[in-house]
Amino acid sequence: MSSEYSRRRRTLLAATGAVAATTLLPNLSRAQAPIVVKFSHVVAENTPKGQGALKFKELAEKKLPGKVQVQVFPSSQLFGDAKEMEALLLGDVQLIAPSLSKFDRYTKKLQVFDLPFLFDDIEAVDRFQATPTGQSLLTTMKNRGLIGLAYWHNGMKQLSTNKDKLVRPDDVKGLKFRIQASDVLEAQFRALNANPQKMAFSEVYQALQTGVVDGQENTWSNIFSQKFFEVQKTIAETNHGIIDYMVVANAKWWDGLAPDVKKGLSEAMKEATDFANKMAEELNQADRKKIADANKAKIQKLSKDDIAAWRKAMEPVWKKFEGDIGRDLIDAALKSNK
Ligand code: LMR
């Protein structure tokens, strides 16, 4: 455990001392103390995930009054993405919603979501996730102590750099890119002859600002809410991949919940999922417009030929990961495109 995490862990325990104290009270009062559900995530509140988490809190507390208290910690307040799974497994928090790119160490199956140019749009992602195959992926990490409760959408990824020209794959040759902790994304940037660097989300702005990296890939809502557009020159509208999430719980904790609590939380999760997924695309497009209006980074539109060149350059990634992911799974995902 890193010292940074230990320090934050101590702060977290101190901050929640009141809750810990209630567990020491006699049985009678203990029965009445609400179950505290800590939901930690790394993005800002004005994003699809940020809004989904707040909606879940509202619904869960309404459905289970006095029984459940949901505490949402946005913007890596407790810890960053590198530590959130560890914290969940330790029981320090009960819910997290990492991007599907961040589960590499727990399952290779979810790598399917990172294959470049696999999904035409977020609706295709939604259709695939709703299939029995998509749903079965929610439980693939149960033997590792993680259970998926829902998929939440963010949106399509765009590519940005601190250079004026960003039209063809050659334009990123030799550039340094921040990536999420994903081997597929690492291979994707290597295929472009660029230099990928895995980095926690909370460190990206500064890394871009100081030139530690030249570029990054993300959705409009993350590029806007993290102000990446203020420290990048060009954002190319590549739509080359997706950022989507799995809301996961500590499986032991989830299985140990009283049936009525589990039912209430499941219902709240379902409704919060519908809410967040409906607003995701709208929010991303609104943030795209805000970025365009700010006139800081140029938004580079790409022609069909340009897109075809990016697709071709990234193609080797599919072959590299086909064995780990499984051809059947890739084909099942492909079927969701119209
Ligand atoms: C990233 O690390 O870029 C994203 O996964 C952050 C997020 O949770 O949307």
Side-chain angles (χ1 to χ4, degrees), residues 42-43 49 81 99 102 178 180 201 218 222 243 245:
V42 301
V43 292
K49 181 162 62 181
D81 35 8
S99 111
K102 294 175 184 168
R178 176 272 172 169
Q180 304 176 73
F201 186 60
N218 232 306
N222 279 344
I243 286 192
Y245 308 109

Side-chain angles (χ1 to χ4, degrees), residues 207-268:
L208 292 170
Q209 190 187 35
T210 55
V212 167
V213 290
D214 302 296
Q216 61 85 46
E217 51 168 22
N218 232 306
T219 60
W220 293 115
S221 64
N222 279 344
I223 295 173
F224 178 73
S225 57
Q226 297 298 313
K227 299 190 167 53
F228 296 161
F229 69 102
E230 293 184 0
V231 285
Q232 293 279 266
K233 274 197 182 152
T234 312
I235 307 169
E237 208 157 17
T238 48
N239 292 310
H240 64 281
I242 62 154
I243 286 192
D244 242 50
Y245 308 109
M246 191 185 284
V247 185
V248 285
N250 179 315
K252 226 191 218 162
W253 171 78
W254 181 252
D255 287 343
L257 289 172
D260 63 322
V261 174
K262 199 184 220 178
K263 182 167 175 283
L265 291 181
S266 300
E267 284 171 12

